Structures are given as structure tokens and as C-alpha cells.
Amino acid sequence: MLQPVHAAVARAGATPARSHPAGARDHGFPPRHVAAALLASVVASAALMMQAGLRVTGDGRVALALALGIVLVIVLRSRRVTNGWRHGAALRDGAGYYALFTGIALAGAVTSYPIAASTHGYADPMLQRIDLALGFDWLTWYRAVAAHPVLQVVGTACYQSIYVTPAILLGWFARTGERAEAHRFLASFWLAAVVTLALFALMPAVGPLSYLWHGPLPYLPASETWQSDLIPALRARRVGAVDLGALRGLVSAPSFHAAAGTIYLSTAWRTPPLRLPLIGLIAAMLLSTPVEGTHYLVDMILGAGVARIAMEAVDLALARTRRRAG
């Protein structure tokens, strides 16, 4: 049943043209639905922050960057400003897509803090047992990376490319006017983040580096040991603020890198001009995730499952939206 659903959405939503055809720009979710989802996310995040006694802070540079970003989006989204520009429509759409993606990523990272504060216990023993049953030895991967500086540099760069791939995809969709594909991507990313955070509340973990390694660290991955440092402090209410300039990844299971990577792979595969260059980059990001993200293999399997559920739900919602509009 999965392939027919994706095929139907691809036929209805994808627009191969390079310019903005009249019909292509009407596809996707209605603005009121997008606004409702964003408002619900902000309200839920704020409620969780208040319950945990947390507030959002940031230094002057963070505030300035956010202010400039908001002003830029408002300017580019204004038809009065961009109507006479050659690529005005693409700039308007691109500004909206990038703003939505940034908002989702920030809200998800911030919300992980109050959720971590409400958790109890750790799921590491269970996650490690599952990895052993699957035949995956995390320590072997870690020792291999620790022994080769080249793998460390390449792995860190690939792991941090989680924001490069969506920038390319959303820019392409803005340029070609494929609003339905952009909405499918953004909605899947948003829903995967929501489900990941909900499951994180049920299985908090410090990750395999902190759980399995004892003694001095020969190599500190990109994710360091934030879970083992921050989660106990949040539970004990020793942290009163979430610094936007120093957000840390707290979610171990499911792996959101794996969830995002699965969504990226699906989206890149549906976009033939970007398929070859992006598939390699996404695969490299996923291969770097166990060590650089300090994730168990089961974390990644769960993340991929979350992404598949999110994409199927979004495809069904898009199909339903089109039927209502048709």
C-alpha cells in the first residue's frame, strides 16, 4: 500500500517545470493549516517550558541574528518588494520554506529540554541489549573512528550536514515552484520531530558513549556527552534557562538524525536532478551518526520508522487536502 500512496502524491504534487506554472503554486497545504500547526507547536512548547520552570535566553548576537532573519523573511515575503524581481516568486517561497524549517528545528531542540526534565530512569540497558541481539558492536565503530583522525574530520562534517541537505532541497523547490513537494518535506520533518520528542519522553538515554565507555576518552564525538551532563541537571532543576546560542541534542532514541536522513533520502529520490549528489551526502551522514551522534543502532532503526510513519501520514493528508480542493 505504501508505493501506490507515494505514486499518487508524486503524480498530483510534483511539478517538473523550472518556472512557476500557474497551477503548481496552488498545491500543498492551505496557509491556515500551516499556521495552526505552528501555533500548536509554539503553545505546546511554551506550556512544557513553563511546567519545567525553564525560560529561553540568548546573548546579543543571537537576538540580532534572529531579528535580522525575521526582517529578511518579511521583506522577501512581501509582494510589494518582490513583484518586479525576475525571481521574486522563488524568493518569496524560499524565504517562507527556510523560515518554517528553522522554526521547526529551533522549537524541537528547545522542547527537548523540558521533556528531558520530566523523564525518569534511562533506557540504555534495554537499547544496548537490542543492539547486541542485532549483532551491532558500537564500541568497535567508536574505536575505529578514534584511531583514524581522517574519519573524525569527515564524520563530523557529514554529521553536521543535516542542515545542508534541506537547504538545497528547499531552494530547489522554491526555484521550480514545487510547493507540494516543499510542504510534504516540511510537514514530514515537523511530524517526525513531534513523534521523536514524544518517544524520547518514554525512553530517555545517555547514549552508548557515556554508558559503554569507561575511562579517559580517546576521541570526543560531535555530540560529546551532553545527555549524561544535561538530563540529570534538568531533572534536578539545576538548569533554569535554555540558551539559544548553545542548544544541545538531548534525544538519543529515536535518532532524529536517522529520521531526518530517511526523509531526505525519500525527498531526494523523488527529485531526479538532485538525486545523485544528495544520496551520497545523506548516506555519509547516516553512517557517521552512530559515533558522532552517539547513537545505538536501534536508535537509528526507530528514527527511520518514525520518518516512514510521518511521511505516510503527510501523504494521506495531502491527498485528502487535494480531494477537498478538487
Side-chain angles (χ1 to χ4, degrees):
M1 288 297 293
L2 302 186
Q3 291 181 348
V5 170
H6 283 297
V9 174
R11 288 193 298 271
T15 305
R18 291 181 177 273
S19 58
H20 278 177
R25 297 180 57 75
D26 296 330
H27 294 162
F29 291 109
R32 66 181 182 278
H33 291 176
V34 177
L38 289 176
L39 180 61
S41 300
V42 172
V43 170
S45 181
L48 289 170
M49 291 284 287
M50 291 179 61
Q51 184 179 20
L54 294 171
R55 68 185 188 281
V56 174
T57 63
D59 60 23
R61 291 172 297 178
V62 173
L64 179 60
L66 287 175
L68 290 176
I70 293 171
V71 170
L72 181 61
V73 170
I74 292 173
V75 170
L76 292 179
R77 293 287 293 170
S78 171
R79 291 183 180 272
R80 292 183 178 181
V81 175
T82 59
N83 260 350
W85 297 5
R86 180 181 177 185
H87 300 292
L91 287 171
R92 285 196 299 272
D93 284 353
Y97 299 158
Y98 289 138
L100 285 172
F101 182 86
T102 302
I104 294 168
L106 278 176
V110 169
T111 305
S112 68
Y113 281 68
I115 290 178
S118 67
T119 60
H120 304 278
Y122 294 101
D124 293 272
M126 176 188 69
L127 298 173
Q128 171 62 4
R129 284 196 300 269
I130 296 174
D131 264 16
L132 292 176
L134 293 172
F136 181 76
D137 186 353
W138 186 88
L139 287 174
T140 298
W141 280 59
Y142 173 71
R143 290 189 179 102
V145 173
H148 297 86
V150 173
L151 291 179
Q152 299 168 18
V153 174
V154 173
T156 300
C158 292
Y159 182 75
Q160 293 176 344
S161 70
I162 188 173
Y163 299 113
V164 175
T165 301
I168 296 172
L169 287 168
L170 292 174
W172 177 265
F173 295 145
R175 177 176 178 266
T176 58
E178 297 179 62
R179 180 174 291 176
E181 285 299 296
H183 281 198
R184 175 184 183 270
F185 176 82
L186 289 165
S188 298
F189 189 83
W190 169 79
L191 185 56
V194 171
V195 176
T196 296
L197 289 170
L199 292 177
F200 167 54
L202 302 177
M203 55 180 84
V206 296
L209 179 61
S210 296
Y211 181 68
L212 297 175
W213 189 270
H214 305 288
L217 292 173
Y219 169 62
L220 190 62
S223 291
E224 300 184 14
T225 55
W226 296 326
Q227 289 101 332
S228 60
D229 295 335
L230 275 173
I231 292 178
L234 286 164
R235 289 174 175 177
R237 299 297 192 269
R238 294 198 303 270
V239 177
V242 179
D243 186 354
L244 293 181
L247 286 173
R248 305 301 186 208
L250 299 180
V251 180
S252 180
S255 164
F256 191 67
H257 259 74
T262 303
I263 295 170
Y264 297 173
L265 281 172
S266 175
T267 307
W269 192 260
R270 293 160 58 95
T271 313
L274 301 179
R275 184 181 296 166
L276 287 179
L278 287 186
I279 292 298
L281 178 61
I282 299 165
M285 183 192 78
L286 291 173
L287 286 173
S288 72
T289 296
V291 172
E292 297 303 330
T294 62
H295 281 293
Y296 301 95
L297 177 61
V298 66
D299 294 349
M300 299 187 64
I301 295 172
L302 288 171
V306 166
R308 294 304 309 172
I309 292 172
M311 287 187 290
E312 292 302 325
V314 168
D315 280 352
L316 291 172
L318 275 172
R320 184 179 180 183
T321 299
R322 291 194 186 95
R323 286 197 301 271
R324 287 183 172 180

